[in-house]
Amino acid sequence: MTGLFKILIVDDDADYRETYRMLLVKKGYIIAVAASAEEAYKLMDKEFYPLIISDIMMPGVSGVEFLKEVKDKYNKSVEVIMVTGYGSVETAVQTMKLGAFGYFIKSHNPEELILEIEKVHKIFSLQNVNEINKNSKKSRYLYTSKNKQMQRVYEMVEQVAQSNSNVLITGESGVGKEIIANMIHDKSSRSNKPFIPINCGYFSTGLIESELFGHEKGAFTGATIRRIGHLEEANEGTVFLDEIGDMEEGTQVKLLRVLETRQIERIGSNKLIDVDFRLVSATNKDLVKAVADGKFREDLFFRINTIEINIPPLRQRKEDIEDLIYFLLKRYSKEMGKGIVDIDENTKQQLLNYNYPGNIRELKNIIERLVVLSRGNILKDELFKSSKLLNNDTEEKETNNKLSSYKEAKKNFEIEYIKEVLKSCNNNITHAARQMDISRRQLFNKIVEYDLKEYSNDTN
């Protein structure tokens, strides 16, 4: 299928214009025609044509002059195939130097021209797919802020992205450290290479080393095949080590050696493998205190902390909450096909006045749940009535009571949220985990923890 690919044919010979038009319309292309360069300019002012097929020998503005004008003053991304009834090597070379995509002689088999057109169409389609993918990725995050602290964070991201220095991102749990790590990668020269996130808190010592360095077949019980580790997998890309403060000392020693030598050894092998990756780490712990307490190696701390970026908690950037609410509402409404267009004023005020101890992650989960439970195209406050999610009274209680209440609210939310998502996915754990943006193992553990096996059709 050619899709809606537009081509402009410029030729002073009416017979050739009509022949090309009929041939290409049959192939599914959208065709416009012009008898001269002057007519072509008028059409190009009104509409974008990714491909122009232009005769060389035309009265007035010649095809060569037209080609120069298209490339210099219109749009360099527009491709031009030159055609002529009087082919010569010199003319072909001249037009190619000026930026023509190809050169076709009218007496030749038209299939040669079709092949050139298909090449241009394929390139254009791939460029569009890449742009869509970039925009899709951008659409998952809000990369703007009205808060001065966050604006400085984004400025630092722009600066550090251009280097290969190790970056340590600090801040409370849920503030969006992985989002910032993603931004650094996307804006770097490594953006077309892998971005590999690893949460150091998810794995025991043995497992995290296998995740990082990989292992050979037979290296330990259960190692039935060779496994490439994430550090090797991320070659020429970016490794994001989340919650690095939870890494055991033995693994810290091995990671430090990799950062110093830029070489790894798979578990069960003594072969050194060269690796080239940019390291971005994150933690919600005070690593300076952890170093002082002997829980984190000082030499590794200095190695990973070439540049530190601290992200403020959401309660310190309340001017961003409304934008985040509407951004997330639009995102989840679109993903779930809900058609929600707004939030009623009372609900909005409750969301704006809440303190969000779980930061952006908590806001994200609340909005997602509200969208899942919503009926109609306006979010309304009755969705809060059976929930303790927005319990701001805890601010007046003692710290221990506040933490206890938040944990209870979080537990209640997680139980209801998991039930709703599983229900919407026909109780399929794999599909539900994908929608929740967590691993299948994490969801399975939550189902076991909260005794929700009756809501799943697969708890193996």
Side-chain angles (χ1 to χ4, degrees), residues 8-14 16-17 20 34-37 52-59 61-67 80-87 91 95 103-106:
L8 175 60
I9 298 169
V10 187
D11 198 314
D12 63 307
D13 189 314
Y16 273 114
R17 286 200 307 273
Y20 291 145
S36 65
I52 297 172
I53 298 173
S54 174
D55 190 18
I56 291 180
M57 304 296 291
M58 295 190 294
V61 178
S62 72
V64 174
E65 292 171 327
F66 176 60
L67 171 63
V80 183
I81 296 176
M82 307 303 297
V83 297
T84 183
Y86 311 97
T91 308
T95 57
Y103 183 86
F104 176 69
I105 299 174
K106 290 180 178 180

Side-chain angles (χ1 to χ4, degrees), residues 178-223:
E178 185 168 346
I179 294 173
I180 297 300
N182 254 301
M183 286 182 68
I184 292 170
H185 175 73
D186 289 344
K187 292 176 179 294
S188 75
S189 60
R190 299 174 182 263
S191 61
N192 62 340
K193 299 297 182 180
F195 174 84
I196 307 293
I198 306 156
N199 191 311
C200 302
Y202 283 174
F203 306 99
S204 64
T205 301
L207 284 177
I208 188 64
E209 291 186 5
S210 177
E211 291 288 321
L212 291 173
F213 310 119
H215 61 252
E216 295 292 341
K217 180 179 179 180
F220 49 83
T221 303

